[in-house]
Amino acid sequence: MEDWLNRPELKQIDPVKLELIKTVITKTKGKTGNDLPPILLSLIMAANKKHIQFSTEEISFIMELMKEGKSSEEQTKIDQTAKMIQSTLKKK
């Protein structure tokens, strides 16, 4: 099992959300900045289909998990991707 699954932040999270988080973290392992937008969008779409919304704190936590083990350049790309997705969602 992954070390991140033992984080205290996960103790209070809904099990359905946790499964979605596990899926996205698994899919992003070893991926680069250009591969991340479709993965993040698939997480959002899967959550929407289940009528689930992630809180700002949960999204920040997911982004931190995605940045673990990545170079500072890749972390910057992840942040840029997150901002792009957030601005897209706000327009809806």
Side-chain angles (χ1 to χ4, degrees), residues 16-52:
V16 177
K17 286 183 179 182
L18 182 57
E19 285 305 313
L20 290 171
I21 293 170
K22 285 179 185 177
T23 300
V24 78
I25 297 304
T26 300
K27 287 182 178 181
T28 58
K29 289 253 189 251
K31 302 291 184 191
T32 61
N34 293 333
D35 298 325
L36 297 176
I39 295 169
L40 291 174
L41 288 173
S42 72
L43 168 67
I44 292 166
M45 289 173 40
N48 285 341
K49 285 181 184 178
K50 296 180 182 196
H51 304 287
I52 295 171

